[in-house]
Amino acid sequence: MIYKDDPSAIAGFLEDTSNLKSGRTPGVFFPESVEEVADLLRNAVSDGRRYTIAGNGTGTTGGRIPFGDYVISMQRLDRIGEVEEVEGGLASIRVQAGALLQDLQTKAASAGWFYPPDPTEKTCFIGSTVANNSSGSRSYRYGPTRAHVRSILVALPQGDILDIPRGRYLADTDGLFTLDLPVAGKLSFMRPEYDMPETSKHNAGYWSASGMDLIDLFIGSEGTLGIILEAELQLRPAPEKVIACLAFFMSEGELLNFVEEARKGSGGVAPRAIELFDIRSLDFLRQSYARIPDGTAGAIYFEEESTESGEERCLEAWLELMDRCGAPADQSWAALDNDGLAGLREFRHRLPVLVNEWLSRQAESKVSTDMALPDSRFRELFKLYRNACDREGFTYIIFGHIGNAHLHLNILPRNRAEFDRAKALYRQLVSEVLAMGGTLSAEHGIGKLKSEYLVQMYGPKGISEMVRVKKAFDPYLVLNIGNLIPESFYESQT
Ligand SMILES: Cc1cc2nc3c(=O)[nH]c(=O)nc-3n(C[C@H](O)[C@H](O)[C@H](O)COP(=O)(O)OP(=O)(O)OC[C@H]3O[C@@H](n4cnc5c(N)ncnc54)[C@H](O)[C@@H]3O)c2cc1C
């Protein structure tokens, strides 16, 4: 196994996209087999080592940044298996943790299949998307990564390798899991007792539900319970046609009405994505897309799957709805083929790129939210963010998954005083969203940056219940310490 400790070779492992600067590590291991990963963990206590798992570093929460621990990079475990047809007209594919999402999607597409999860950033590793339950615009229809994982192979913190197909390990009626493992021996622990929020996207803390499946505890656990080595993912037949459109609105009220009607399926529309670009996001994008109509109040991007024969009817339904909601077709950008679709997706991807370029010219980093409310409350979330930022006079943008009442607010401070005020506002918004029944994170996870706010979400009791689960798998605390669970909670609970 390759090991690197030359500072210039491992500097990249001290960062992700969070702007956390305090990472440090003695060195990085690059295992090339699942056994090598398990060996590292099996010997962690006798070697006196703790490990942080590294995916490809596109995470936004500092999850892969080590604070003094060794790093295990998953990049050499990157094999993608062959597509196999399974029951129900679906297919599956086995993928190692270090394979890129974009490579998996290309392979599935070339065989005529479709992997729905589509985080905007496609250069992430599959193992990370499972560990973080990543999602994207198509999650409006298809749900997050969790909904597409049939089975995982995991290296547990004491060195066991456990195969977890969906349906094999279920909590009993009291919520108790029992496992008998070669190295760790008998493990028995209760699932967390907290209730999860009623949002359609939620990625903050361990998943917990009555009669739950062990696989769902690992998905979204951000590497704190084990290392995802491989996953068997479910594929769907590729849709015959996809229509997509960017509809520009002249008033915010009409835009929000359109979202409401699209969510209801008004006139027979059946979107798989409903995404917002607020007026300030469009101002950013004008640098690259001068033809964005003047005077627009915002835009909604939507996609729907169709067939050759149904495409015309599908288009008519959308045009009728757009017309009714004040988004004239001649001012909208539609895509009816793959090139057009790729062009609109590039438009979406361009926004974070332009924001990052802007930030690179500033002294301060952005303050951003990833919170969601129950679906029907999308207007409240938008107005909460918009009104608060206008009151403060911030430079900001609001964009993202409005169909799931999940919006990203990026505050872009121009100086330290604004940054401090933005952080204070973030804290206030967290309190308000949680009080409204929302979630702290709908897709990016908690990592190291947001663990203090997780205490606000679940209370000390909820975090202690997570510690109980963590310690059942990782009694010597060797894996991804500092992620999700604030470290002080390990000390207070033995
Ligand atoms: C421009 C941009 C757009 C984005 N858009 C989206 C989006 O639309 N939706 C979304 O959900 N996310 C999005 N993200 C966030 C990010 O891409 C995802 O969180 C992704 O899953 C991170 O993958 P990575 O390989 O880069 O992981 P890393 O950043 O390297 O690691 C992320 C976390 O996963 C853990 N981890 C990595 N591999 C494993 C493993 N094999 N087993 C256990 N734990 C592991 C790490 O320890 C760390 O805690 C975006 C990021 C950027 C920069």
PDB file of all heavy atoms in Angstrom, residues 17 53-60 63-64 74 97 119-121 124-125 127-129 131-132 134-136 222-223 226-228 352 443-444 480 483, ligand 1:
ATOM      1  N   THR A  17     -14.019  21.884  -0.024  1.00  0.00           N
ATOM      2  CA  THR A  17     -14.460  23.198  -0.516  1.00  0.00           C
ATOM      3  C   THR A  17     -15.017  24.080   0.605  1.00  0.00           C
ATOM      4  O   THR A  17     -15.674  25.082   0.344  1.00  0.00           O
ATOM      5  CB  THR A  17     -15.511  23.058  -1.643  1.00  0.00           C
ATOM      6  OG1 THR A  17     -16.673  22.427  -1.092  1.00  0.00           O
ATOM      7  CG2 THR A  17     -14.985  22.229  -2.789  1.00  0.00           C
ATOM      8  N   ILE A  53     -11.365   9.631   6.709  1.00  0.00           N
ATOM      9  CA  ILE A  53     -11.543   9.076   5.359  1.00  0.00           C
ATOM     10  C   ILE A  53     -11.617  10.219   4.348  1.00  0.00           C
ATOM     11  O   ILE A  53     -12.347  11.193   4.561  1.00  0.00           O
ATOM     12  CB  ILE A  53     -12.853   8.266   5.260  1.00  0.00           C
ATOM     13  CG1 ILE A  53     -13.017   7.364   6.477  1.00  0.00           C
ATOM     14  CG2 ILE A  53     -12.902   7.462   3.964  1.00  0.00           C
ATOM     15  CD1 ILE A  53     -14.458   6.963   6.725  1.00  0.00           C
ATOM     16  N   ALA A  54     -10.882  10.070   3.250  1.00  0.00           N
ATOM     17  CA  ALA A  54     -10.921  11.098   2.199  1.00  0.00           C
ATOM     18  C   ALA A  54     -11.569  10.556   0.937  1.00  0.00           C
ATOM     19  O   ALA A  54     -11.156   9.527   0.400  1.00  0.00           O
ATOM     20  CB  ALA A  54      -9.510  11.581   1.879  1.00  0.00           C
ATOM     21  N   GLY A  55     -12.596  11.272   0.466  1.00  0.00           N
ATOM     22  CA  GLY A  55     -13.138  11.056  -0.871  1.00  0.00           C
ATOM     23  C   GLY A  55     -12.381  11.979  -1.809  1.00  0.00           C
ATOM     24  O   GLY A  55     -11.160  12.130  -1.703  1.00  0.00           O
ATOM     25  N   ASN A  56     -13.109  12.669  -2.685  1.00  0.00           N
ATOM     26  CA  ASN A  56     -12.419  13.508  -3.674  1.00  0.00           C
ATOM     27  C   ASN A  56     -12.371  14.981  -3.287  1.00  0.00           C
ATOM     28  O   ASN A  56     -12.012  15.818  -4.115  1.00  0.00           O
ATOM     29  CB  ASN A  56     -13.062  13.337  -5.052  1.00  0.00           C
ATOM     30  CG  ASN A  56     -12.045  13.549  -6.158  1.00  0.00           C
ATOM     31  OD1 ASN A  56     -10.847  13.390  -5.939  1.00  0.00           O
ATOM     32  ND2 ASN A  56     -12.516  13.928  -7.330  1.00  0.00           N
ATOM     33  N   GLY A  57     -12.784  15.310  -2.053  1.00  0.00           N
ATOM     34  CA  GLY A  57     -12.583  16.678  -1.575  1.00  0.00           C
ATOM     35  C   GLY A  57     -13.554  17.715  -2.105  1.00  0.00           C
ATOM     36  O   GLY A  57     -13.275  18.906  -2.032  1.00  0.00           O
ATOM     37  N   THR A  58     -14.721  17.299  -2.624  1.00  0.00           N
ATOM     38  CA  THR A  58     -15.717  18.294  -3.061  1.00  0.00           C
ATOM     39  C   THR A  58     -16.712  18.619  -1.951  1.00  0.00           C
ATOM     40  O   THR A  58     -17.607  19.447  -2.142  1.00  0.00           O
ATOM     41  CB  THR A  58     -16.510  17.816  -4.306  1.00  0.00           C
ATOM     42  OG1 THR A  58     -17.387  16.752  -3.901  1.00  0.00           O
ATOM     43  CG2 THR A  58     -15.602  17.338  -5.413  1.00  0.00           C
ATOM     44  N   GLY A  59     -16.579  17.948  -0.809  1.00  0.00           N
ATOM     45  CA  GLY A  59     -17.484  18.199   0.317  1.00  0.00           C
ATOM     46  C   GLY A  59     -17.398  19.651   0.764  1.00  0.00           C
ATOM     47  O   GLY A  59     -16.375  20.327   0.566  1.00  0.00           O
ATOM     48  N   THR A  60     -18.469  20.133   1.381  1.00  0.00           N
ATOM     49  CA  THR A  60     -18.538  21.550   1.750  1.00  0.00           C
ATOM     50  C   THR A  60     -18.451  21.761   3.265  1.00  0.00           C
ATOM     51  O   THR A  60     -18.570  22.883   3.733  1.00  0.00           O
ATOM     52  CB  THR A  60     -19.868  22.163   1.258  1.00  0.00           C
ATOM     53  OG1 THR A  60     -20.930  21.458   1.897  1.00  0.00           O
ATOM     54  CG2 THR A  60     -20.026  22.052  -0.244  1.00  0.00           C
ATOM     55  N   GLY A  63     -15.618  17.603   6.255  1.00  0.00           N
ATOM     56  CA  GLY A  63     -15.694  16.214   6.729  1.00  0.00           C
ATOM     57  C   GLY A  63     -14.426  15.418   6.483  1.00  0.00           C
ATOM     58  O   GLY A  63     -14.040  14.576   7.293  1.00  0.00           O
ATOM     59  N   ARG A  64     -13.740  15.678   5.372  1.00  0.00           N
ATOM     60  CA  ARG A  64     -12.564  14.857   5.087  1.00  0.00           C
ATOM     61  C   ARG A  64     -11.266  15.494   5.605  1.00  0.00           C
ATOM     62  O   ARG A  64     -10.180  14.957   5.404  1.00  0.00           O
ATOM     63  CB  ARG A  64     -12.461  14.594   3.593  1.00  0.00           C
ATOM     64  CG  ARG A  64     -11.848  15.723   2.797  1.00  0.00           C
ATOM     65  CD  ARG A  64     -11.227  15.146   1.566  1.00  0.00           C
ATOM     66  NE  ARG A  64     -10.304  16.055   0.920  1.00  0.00           N
ATOM     67  CZ  ARG A  64      -9.544  15.693  -0.093  1.00  0.00           C
ATOM     68  NH1 ARG A  64      -9.591  14.469  -0.564  1.00  0.00           N
ATOM     69  NH2 ARG A  64      -8.731  16.541  -0.653  1.00  0.00           N
ATOM     70  N   MET A  74      -9.580   6.985  -0.558  1.00  0.00           N
ATOM     71  CA  MET A  74     -10.298   5.904  -1.247  1.00  0.00           C
ATOM     72  C   MET A  74     -10.018   5.895  -2.750  1.00  0.00           C
ATOM     73  O   MET A  74     -10.592   5.105  -3.488  1.00  0.00           O
ATOM     74  CB  MET A  74     -11.810   6.055  -0.999  1.00  0.00           C
ATOM     75  CG  MET A  74     -12.208   6.013   0.466  1.00  0.00           C
ATOM     76  SD  MET A  74     -11.564   4.561   1.338  1.00  0.00           S
ATOM     77  CE  MET A  74     -12.572   3.265   0.622  1.00  0.00           C
ATOM     78  N   ALA A  97     -15.756   2.348  -3.799  1.00  0.00           N
ATOM     79  CA  ALA A  97     -16.003   3.663  -3.185  1.00  0.00           C
ATOM     80  C   ALA A  97     -15.320   4.815  -3.901  1.00  0.00           C
ATOM     81  O   ALA A  97     -15.832   5.934  -3.922  1.00  0.00           O
ATOM     82  CB  ALA A  97     -15.557   3.637  -1.731  1.00  0.00           C
ATOM     83  N   PRO A 119     -25.937  15.043  -7.716  1.00  0.00           N
ATOM     84  CA  PRO A 119     -25.357  16.243  -7.107  1.00  0.00           C
ATOM     85  C   PRO A 119     -24.754  17.130  -8.199  1.00  0.00           C
ATOM     86  O   PRO A 119     -24.226  16.611  -9.188  1.00  0.00           O
ATOM     87  CB  PRO A 119     -24.242  15.697  -6.199  1.00  0.00           C
ATOM     88  CG  PRO A 119     -24.521  14.254  -6.010  1.00  0.00           C
ATOM     89  CD  PRO A 119     -25.363  13.812  -7.172  1.00  0.00           C
ATOM     90  N   THR A 120     -24.856  18.428  -8.034  1.00  0.00           N
ATOM     91  CA  THR A 120     -24.386  19.356  -9.072  1.00  0.00           C
ATOM     92  C   THR A 120     -22.918  19.104  -9.407  1.00  0.00           C
ATOM     93  O   THR A 120     -22.499  19.253 -10.549  1.00  0.00           O
ATOM     94  CB  THR A 120     -24.574  20.811  -8.592  1.00  0.00           C
ATOM     95  OG1 THR A 120     -25.911  20.933  -8.121  1.00  0.00           O
ATOM     96  CG2 THR A 120     -24.344  21.795  -9.706  1.00  0.00           C
ATOM     97  N   GLU A 121     -22.141  18.742  -8.384  1.00  0.00           N
ATOM     98  CA  GLU A 121     -20.720  18.457  -8.610  1.00  0.00           C
ATOM     99  C   GLU A 121     -20.564  16.957  -8.894  1.00  0.00           C
ATOM    100  O   GLU A 121     -20.826  16.132  -8.026  1.00  0.00           O
ATOM    101  CB  GLU A 121     -19.924  18.858  -7.353  1.00  0.00           C
ATOM    102  CG  GLU A 121     -18.448  18.607  -7.437  1.00  0.00           C
ATOM    103  CD  GLU A 121     -17.814  19.259  -8.649  1.00  0.00           C
ATOM    104  OE1 GLU A 121     -17.809  20.487  -8.725  1.00  0.00           O
ATOM    105  OE2 GLU A 121     -17.328  18.517  -9.531  1.00  0.00           O
ATOM    106  N   CYS A 124     -17.412  13.865  -7.514  1.00  0.00           N
ATOM    107  CA  CYS A 124     -17.344  13.240  -6.181  1.00  0.00           C
ATOM    108  C   CYS A 124     -17.249  11.726  -6.328  1.00  0.00           C
ATOM    109  O   CYS A 124     -17.588  11.161  -7.371  1.00  0.00           O
ATOM    110  CB  CYS A 124     -18.553  13.642  -5.351  1.00  0.00           C
ATOM    111  SG  CYS A 124     -20.117  13.473  -6.187  1.00  0.00           S
ATOM    112  N   PHE A 125     -16.759  11.072  -5.266  1.00  0.00           N
ATOM    113  CA  PHE A 125     -16.653   9.612  -5.265  1.00  0.00           C
ATOM    114  C   PHE A 125     -17.994   8.991  -4.847  1.00  0.00           C
ATOM    115  O   PHE A 125     -18.704   9.544  -3.994  1.00  0.00           O
ATOM    116  CB  PHE A 125     -15.590   9.154  -4.250  1.00  0.00           C
ATOM    117  CG  PHE A 125     -14.164   9.419  -4.654  1.00  0.00           C
ATOM    118  CD1 PHE A 125     -13.136   9.175  -3.745  1.00  0.00           C
ATOM    119  CD2 PHE A 125     -13.831   9.878  -5.916  1.00  0.00           C
ATOM    120  CE1 PHE A 125     -11.815   9.406  -4.090  1.00  0.00           C
ATOM    121  CE2 PHE A 125     -12.509  10.116  -6.275  1.00  0.00           C
ATOM    122  CZ  PHE A 125     -11.490   9.879  -5.351  1.00  0.00           C
ATOM    123  N   GLY A 127     -18.468   6.387  -2.965  1.00  0.00           N
ATOM    124  CA  GLY A 127     -18.492   6.056  -1.527  1.00  0.00           C
ATOM    125  C   GLY A 127     -18.912   7.260  -0.702  1.00  0.00           C
ATOM    126  O   GLY A 127     -19.655   7.135   0.277  1.00  0.00           O
ATOM    127  N   SER A 128     -18.440   8.448  -1.111  1.00  0.00           N
ATOM    128  CA  SER A 128     -18.803   9.664  -0.377  1.00  0.00           C
ATOM    129  C   SER A 128     -20.287   9.974  -0.554  1.00  0.00           C
ATOM    130  O   SER A 128     -20.943  10.420   0.386  1.00  0.00           O
ATOM    131  CB  SER A 128     -18.000  10.862  -0.871  1.00  0.00           C
ATOM    132  OG  SER A 128     -16.674  10.514  -1.156  1.00  0.00           O
ATOM    133  N   THR A 129     -20.802   9.748  -1.764  1.00  0.00           N
ATOM    134  CA  THR A 129     -22.223  10.066  -1.969  1.00  0.00           C
ATOM    135  C   THR A 129     -23.101   9.150  -1.120  1.00  0.00           C
ATOM    136  O   THR A 129     -24.175   9.554  -0.678  1.00  0.00           O
ATOM    137  CB  THR A 129     -22.650   9.964  -3.459  1.00  0.00           C
ATOM    138  OG1 THR A 129     -22.536   8.613  -3.898  1.00  0.00           O
ATOM    139  CG2 THR A 129     -21.839  10.859  -4.348  1.00  0.00           C
ATOM    140  N   ALA A 131     -21.943   7.748   1.843  1.00  0.00           N
ATOM    141  CA  ALA A 131     -21.675   8.166   3.229  1.00  0.00           C
ATOM    142  C   ALA A 131     -22.394   9.471   3.558  1.00  0.00           C
ATOM    143  O   ALA A 131     -22.704   9.735   4.715  1.00  0.00           O
ATOM    144  CB  ALA A 131     -20.172   8.326   3.441  1.00  0.00           C
ATOM    145  N   ASN A 132     -22.655  10.290   2.535  1.00  0.00           N
ATOM    146  CA  ASN A 132     -23.301  11.595   2.762  1.00  0.00           C
ATOM    147  C   ASN A 132     -24.732  11.660   2.244  1.00  0.00           C
ATOM    148  O   ASN A 132     -25.351  12.714   2.271  1.00  0.00           O
ATOM    149  CB  ASN A 132     -22.478  12.709   2.104  1.00  0.00           C
ATOM    150  CG  ASN A 132     -21.136  12.847   2.773  1.00  0.00           C
ATOM    151  OD1 ASN A 132     -21.031  13.417   3.847  1.00  0.00           O
ATOM    152  ND2 ASN A 132     -20.121  12.268   2.174  1.00  0.00           N
ATOM    153  N   SER A 134     -25.939  11.877  -0.634  1.00  0.00           N
ATOM    154  CA  SER A 134     -26.004  13.063  -1.504  1.00  0.00           C
ATOM    155  C   SER A 134     -27.267  13.051  -2.363  1.00  0.00           C
ATOM    156  O   SER A 134     -27.829  11.999  -2.666  1.00  0.00           O
ATOM    157  CB  SER A 134     -24.775  13.093  -2.422  1.00  0.00           C
ATOM    158  OG  SER A 134     -23.607  13.077  -1.644  1.00  0.00           O
ATOM    159  N   SER A 135     -27.659  14.240  -2.767  1.00  0.00           N
ATOM    160  CA  SER A 135     -28.827  14.322  -3.637  1.00  0.00           C
ATOM    161  C   SER A 135     -28.640  15.469  -4.618  1.00  0.00           C
ATOM    162  O   SER A 135     -27.604  16.125  -4.619  1.00  0.00           O
ATOM    163  CB  SER A 135     -30.097  14.513  -2.804  1.00  0.00           C
ATOM    164  OG  SER A 135     -29.952  15.613  -1.961  1.00  0.00           O
ATOM    165  N   GLY A 136     -29.622  15.692  -5.443  1.00  0.00           N
ATOM    166  CA  GLY A 136     -29.490  16.756  -6.447  1.00  0.00           C
ATOM    167  C   GLY A 136     -30.856  17.157  -6.939  1.00  0.00           C
ATOM    168  O   GLY A 136     -31.874  16.880  -6.291  1.00  0.00           O
ATOM    169  N   GLU A 222     -21.753   9.772   7.372  1.00  0.00           N
ATOM    170  CA  GLU A 222     -20.549  10.595   7.127  1.00  0.00           C
ATOM    171  C   GLU A 222     -19.270   9.914   7.608  1.00  0.00           C
ATOM    172  O   GLU A 222     -18.366  10.564   8.154  1.00  0.00           O
ATOM    173  CB  GLU A 222     -20.720  11.982   7.770  1.00  0.00           C
ATOM    174  CG  GLU A 222     -21.936  12.736   7.233  1.00  0.00           C
ATOM    175  CD  GLU A 222     -21.982  14.200   7.639  1.00  0.00           C
ATOM    176  OE1 GLU A 222     -20.916  14.803   7.823  1.00  0.00           O
ATOM    177  OE2 GLU A 222     -23.097  14.739   7.766  1.00  0.00           O
ATOM    178  N   GLY A 223     -19.192   8.608   7.423  1.00  0.00           N
ATOM    179  CA  GLY A 223     -17.950   7.891   7.728  1.00  0.00           C
ATOM    180  C   GLY A 223     -17.673   7.715   9.212  1.00  0.00           C
ATOM    181  O   GLY A 223     -16.572   7.323   9.584  1.00  0.00           O
ATOM    182  N   GLY A 226     -18.252   3.554   9.807  1.00  0.00           N
ATOM    183  CA  GLY A 226     -17.482   2.603   9.022  1.00  0.00           C
ATOM    184  C   GLY A 226     -17.125   3.213   7.681  1.00  0.00           C
ATOM    185  O   GLY A 226     -17.612   4.293   7.317  1.00  0.00           O
ATOM    186  N   ILE A 227     -16.250   2.513   6.964  1.00  0.00           N
ATOM    187  CA  ILE A 227     -15.820   3.005   5.645  1.00  0.00           C
ATOM    188  C   ILE A 227     -16.601   2.246   4.576  1.00  0.00           C
ATOM    189  O   ILE A 227     -16.570   1.011   4.529  1.00  0.00           O
ATOM    190  CB  ILE A 227     -14.306   2.780   5.450  1.00  0.00           C
ATOM    191  CG1 ILE A 227     -13.520   3.471   6.581  1.00  0.00           C
ATOM    192  CG2 ILE A 227     -13.868   3.277   4.077  1.00  0.00           C
ATOM    193  CD1 ILE A 227     -12.005   3.372   6.450  1.00  0.00           C
ATOM    194  N   ILE A 228     -17.310   2.980   3.745  1.00  0.00           N
ATOM    195  CA  ILE A 228     -18.006   2.353   2.618  1.00  0.00           C
ATOM    196  C   ILE A 228     -16.922   1.893   1.641  1.00  0.00           C
ATOM    197  O   ILE A 228     -16.117   2.702   1.166  1.00  0.00           O
ATOM    198  CB  ILE A 228     -18.948   3.344   1.889  1.00  0.00           C
ATOM    199  CG1 ILE A 228     -19.866   4.090   2.862  1.00  0.00           C
ATOM    200  CG2 ILE A 228     -19.723   2.651   0.769  1.00  0.00           C
ATOM    201  CD1 ILE A 228     -20.960   3.330   3.498  1.00  0.00           C
ATOM    202  N   PRO A 352     -22.354  28.201  -8.947  1.00  0.00           N
ATOM    203  CA  PRO A 352     -21.341  28.082  -7.893  1.00  0.00           C
ATOM    204  C   PRO A 352     -19.938  28.437  -8.383  1.00  0.00           C
ATOM    205  O   PRO A 352     -19.132  28.981  -7.622  1.00  0.00           O
ATOM    206  CB  PRO A 352     -21.409  26.609  -7.456  1.00  0.00           C
ATOM    207  CG  PRO A 352     -22.265  25.902  -8.439  1.00  0.00           C
ATOM    208  CD  PRO A 352     -23.091  26.933  -9.135  1.00  0.00           C
ATOM    209  N   GLU A 443     -28.778  18.159   2.338  1.00  0.00           N
ATOM    210  CA  GLU A 443     -27.973  17.326   1.448  1.00  0.00           C
ATOM    211  C   GLU A 443     -26.468  17.386   1.716  1.00  0.00           C
ATOM    212  O   GLU A 443     -25.784  16.391   1.541  1.00  0.00           O
ATOM    213  CB  GLU A 443     -28.261  17.630  -0.038  1.00  0.00           C
ATOM    214  CG  GLU A 443     -27.843  19.004  -0.500  1.00  0.00           C
ATOM    215  CD  GLU A 443     -28.142  19.271  -1.973  1.00  0.00           C
ATOM    216  OE1 GLU A 443     -28.913  18.530  -2.591  1.00  0.00           O
ATOM    217  OE2 GLU A 443     -27.597  20.248  -2.499  1.00  0.00           O
ATOM    218  N   HIS A 444     -25.903  18.480   2.140  1.00  0.00           N
ATOM    219  CA  HIS A 444     -24.435  18.554   2.244  1.00  0.00           C
ATOM    220  C   HIS A 444     -23.889  17.895   3.489  1.00  0.00           C
ATOM    221  O   HIS A 444     -22.691  17.630   3.579  1.00  0.00           O
ATOM    222  CB  HIS A 444     -23.967  20.009   2.189  1.00  0.00           C
ATOM    223  CG  HIS A 444     -24.144  20.626   0.835  1.00  0.00           C
ATOM    224  ND1 HIS A 444     -23.797  21.917   0.544  1.00  0.00           N
ATOM    225  CD2 HIS A 444     -24.633  20.115  -0.319  1.00  0.00           C
ATOM    226  CE1 HIS A 444     -24.067  22.188  -0.730  1.00  0.00           C
ATOM    227  NE2 HIS A 444     -24.581  21.097  -1.264  1.00  0.00           N
ATOM    228  N   ASN A 480     -13.035   8.973  11.787  1.00  0.00           N
ATOM    229  CA  ASN A 480     -13.734  10.232  11.463  1.00  0.00           C
ATOM    230  C   ASN A 480     -14.206  10.981  12.712  1.00  0.00           C
ATOM    231  O   ASN A 480     -15.344  11.450  12.788  1.00  0.00           O
ATOM    232  CB  ASN A 480     -14.915   9.965  10.509  1.00  0.00           C
ATOM    233  CG  ASN A 480     -14.507  10.174   9.065  1.00  0.00           C
ATOM    234  OD1 ASN A 480     -13.309  10.238   8.752  1.00  0.00           O
ATOM    235  ND2 ASN A 480     -15.471  10.275   8.165  1.00  0.00           N
ATOM    236  N   ASN A 483     -16.365  14.563  13.089  1.00  0.00           N
ATOM    237  CA  ASN A 483     -17.482  14.686  12.137  1.00  0.00           C
ATOM    238  C   ASN A 483     -18.805  14.439  12.864  1.00  0.00           C
ATOM    239  O   ASN A 483     -18.882  13.548  13.734  1.00  0.00           O
ATOM    240  CB  ASN A 483     -17.367  13.636  11.027  1.00  0.00           C
ATOM    241  CG  ASN A 483     -16.436  14.080   9.927  1.00  0.00           C
ATOM    242  OD1 ASN A 483     -15.673  15.025  10.094  1.00  0.00           O
ATOM    243  ND2 ASN A 483     -16.483  13.393   8.812  1.00  0.00           N
TER     244      ASN A 483
HETATM  245  C1  LIG B   1     -19.986  23.056  -6.652  1.00  0.00           C
HETATM  246  C2  LIG B   1     -20.503  21.986  -5.718  1.00  0.00           C
HETATM  247  C3  LIG B   1     -21.789  21.529  -5.865  1.00  0.00           C
HETATM  248  C4  LIG B   1     -22.290  20.531  -5.008  1.00  0.00           C
HETATM  249  N1  LIG B   1     -23.563  20.097  -5.209  1.00  0.00           N
HETATM  250  C5  LIG B   1     -24.063  19.149  -4.397  1.00  0.00           C
HETATM  251  C6  LIG B   1     -25.402  18.701  -4.596  1.00  0.00           C
HETATM  252  O1  LIG B   1     -26.109  19.144  -5.505  1.00  0.00           O
HETATM  253  N2  LIG B   1     -25.866  17.752  -3.762  1.00  0.00           N
HETATM  254  C7  LIG B   1     -25.104  17.228  -2.745  1.00  0.00           C
HETATM  255  O2  LIG B   1     -25.591  16.354  -2.019  1.00  0.00           O
HETATM  256  N3  LIG B   1     -23.834  17.646  -2.538  1.00  0.00           N
HETATM  257  C8  LIG B   1     -23.300  18.579  -3.329  1.00  0.00           C
HETATM  258  N4  LIG B   1     -22.022  19.010  -3.131  1.00  0.00           N
HETATM  259  C9  LIG B   1     -21.248  18.460  -1.999  1.00  0.00           C
HETATM  260  C10 LIG B   1     -20.335  17.251  -2.341  1.00  0.00           C
HETATM  261  O3  LIG B   1     -20.106  17.160  -3.724  1.00  0.00           O
HETATM  262  C11 LIG B   1     -20.928  15.942  -1.810  1.00  0.00           C
HETATM  263  O4  LIG B   1     -21.049  15.992  -0.406  1.00  0.00           O
HETATM  264  C12 LIG B   1     -20.092  14.696  -2.163  1.00  0.00           C
HETATM  265  O5  LIG B   1     -20.712  13.530  -1.691  1.00  0.00           O
HETATM  266  C13 LIG B   1     -18.672  14.732  -1.597  1.00  0.00           C
HETATM  267  O6  LIG B   1     -17.901  13.753  -2.284  1.00  0.00           O
HETATM  268  P1  LIG B   1     -16.310  13.697  -2.221  1.00  0.00           P
HETATM  269  O7  LIG B   1     -15.856  12.432  -2.858  1.00  0.00           O
HETATM  270  O8  LIG B   1     -15.714  14.911  -2.753  1.00  0.00           O
HETATM  271  O9  LIG B   1     -16.095  13.559  -0.641  1.00  0.00           O
HETATM  272  P2  LIG B   1     -15.112  14.305   0.383  1.00  0.00           P
HETATM  273  O10 LIG B   1     -15.358  15.757   0.399  1.00  0.00           O
HETATM  274  O11 LIG B   1     -13.711  13.867   0.161  1.00  0.00           O
HETATM  275  O12 LIG B   1     -15.652  13.660   1.746  1.00  0.00           O
HETATM  276  C14 LIG B   1     -16.948  13.954   2.207  1.00  0.00           C
HETATM  277  C15 LIG B   1     -17.238  13.159   3.487  1.00  0.00           C
HETATM  278  O13 LIG B   1     -17.439  11.780   3.181  1.00  0.00           O
HETATM  279  C16 LIG B   1     -16.589  10.956   3.985  1.00  0.00           C
HETATM  280  N5  LIG B   1     -16.228   9.817   3.132  1.00  0.00           N
HETATM  281  C17 LIG B   1     -15.639   9.866   1.924  1.00  0.00           C
HETATM  282  N6  LIG B   1     -15.529   8.625   1.407  1.00  0.00           N
HETATM  283  C18 LIG B   1     -16.066   7.778   2.320  1.00  0.00           C
HETATM  284  C19 LIG B   1     -16.247   6.372   2.359  1.00  0.00           C
HETATM  285  N7  LIG B   1     -15.858   5.587   1.344  1.00  0.00           N
HETATM  286  N8  LIG B   1     -16.833   5.827   3.453  1.00  0.00           N
HETATM  287  C20 LIG B   1     -17.253   6.614   4.479  1.00  0.00           C
HETATM  288  N9  LIG B   1     -17.103   7.947   4.493  1.00  0.00           N
HETATM  289  C21 LIG B   1     -16.519   8.524   3.419  1.00  0.00           C
HETATM  290  C22 LIG B   1     -15.416  11.855   4.339  1.00  0.00           C
HETATM  291  O14 LIG B   1     -14.753  11.441   5.513  1.00  0.00           O
HETATM  292  C23 LIG B   1     -16.120  13.192   4.520  1.00  0.00           C
HETATM  293  O15 LIG B   1     -16.712  13.243   5.788  1.00  0.00           O
HETATM  294  C24 LIG B   1     -21.478  20.003  -3.957  1.00  0.00           C
HETATM  295  C25 LIG B   1     -20.167  20.463  -3.816  1.00  0.00           C
HETATM  296  C26 LIG B   1     -19.677  21.447  -4.682  1.00  0.00           C
HETATM  297  C27 LIG B   1     -18.268  21.917  -4.499  1.00  0.00           C
END
